[in-house]
Amino acid sequence: MRPPRLGVLGSGKGSNYVAIAEAVRSGSLDANIMLVASDFPDAGILTQAHAFGHHALHIPPGPFRTKMSPEAESRLVDALHDAGTDLVILAGFMRVIKEPLLRAFPNRILNIHPSLLPAFKGLEAWKQALEAGVPEAGCTVHLVDAQIDAGEILAQARVPVLPGDTAATLHARIQVEEHKIFPKVIGNYWRELQSV
Ligand code: GAR
């Protein structure tokens, strides 16, 4: 089985990307990171990509706040194809994925979301969990389809919500689990795809 070629997209600090890149480096995830792209020119994920020696690309997203323009998304698709991408990894990518990308990578886009889906879709899910007063939070890796945060669930990890938790402490606890499950699920999902 050949290792998957990954295209990683992120808008933020890139700690999930770093976890994946470290798993690749240590050999616990057999994969090649071909491209790291962001909608923000100064996103931490691009700085991290430079540090790992991965191809880092900023794609200006266009005029909308919550999605890329069709032109920008098509540019992204071209860049992912040029890089030979097998799997698109959304590692904190904060724009809704639309048709050009969905059509180009059906069942090949994985997202990590900081809640136990289907609970708390959307932005800052850990804050939603805290405000709702639930005893348990967590994270979910799922396939991306046209519905927001609703594609097939591949794996989840749970963490307790502790007395005195703030949004920051709860998110930090969730991120520890994110960094463990995301690299694992990528490897498992690729093996599953190769076996059918
Ligand atoms: C992560 O907690 C991820 O679950 C979340 O953004 C954070 C990115 O952190 N994603 C979403 O909320 C997607 N809807 P990172 O940049 O340190 O990986």
Side-chain angles (χ1 to χ4, degrees):
M1 188 187 81
R2 74 172 175 82
R5 292 180 292 248
L6 309 181
V8 183
L9 312 183
S11 308
K13 67 180 192 289
S15 69
N16 278 286
Y17 154 71
V18 169
I20 294 163
E22 279 173 350
V24 168
R25 194 153 67 182
S26 74
S28 65
L29 172 60
D30 189 17
N32 294 306
I33 297 175
M34 310 304 292
L35 173 70
V36 180
S38 182
D39 49 341
F40 288 109
D42 49 1
I45 191 171
L46 293 182
T47 314
Q48 296 284 7
H50 287 300
F52 274 91
H54 291 140
H55 179 203
L57 180 67
H58 167 236
I59 301 214
F64 310 106
R65 210 171 46 83
T66 57
K67 61 177 183 178
M68 298 187 99
S69 67
E71 297 74 24
E73 209 180 89
S74 296
R75 238 195 99 197
L76 178 59
V77 168
D78 289 346
L80 289 164
H81 277 151
D82 289 349
T85 305
D86 296 306
L87 296 177
V88 179
I89 305 301
L90 304 186
F93 190 66
M94 300 312 284
R95 288 173 198 266
V96 176
I97 304 301
K98 296 294 192 185
E99 261 303 298
L101 190 49
L102 290 172
R103 217 178 321 112
F105 291 94
N107 290 322
R108 299 290 188 279
I109 309 175
L110 276 63
N111 181 46
I112 187 136
H113 183 78
S115 80
L116 297 170
L117 288 173
F120 309 125
K121 297 175 180 178
L123 294 177
E124 298 188 317
W126 61 91
K127 270 193 197 162
Q128 299 182 46
L130 203 58
E131 279 158 19
V134 291
E136 204 176 39
C139 53
T140 302
V141 180
H142 65 95
L143 294 179
V144 175
D145 61 18
Q147 319 303 317
I148 295 175
D149 298 331
E152 183 190 336
I153 291 175
L154 300 177
Q156 294 188 309
R158 319 177 90 83
V159 301
V161 179
L162 299 177
D165 256 342
T166 62
T169 58
L170 180 57
H171 189 209
R173 192 175 307 115
I174 291 170
Q175 287 222 283
V176 170
E177 297 307 314
E178 290 186 339
H179 302 158
K180 288 188 218 157
I181 67 165
F182 210 2
K184 234 184 253 173
V185 176
I186 292 166
N188 289 346
Y189 185 62
W190 181 247
R191 271 189 291 281
E192 194 184 307
L193 284 179
Q194 300 308 292
S195 69
V196 289

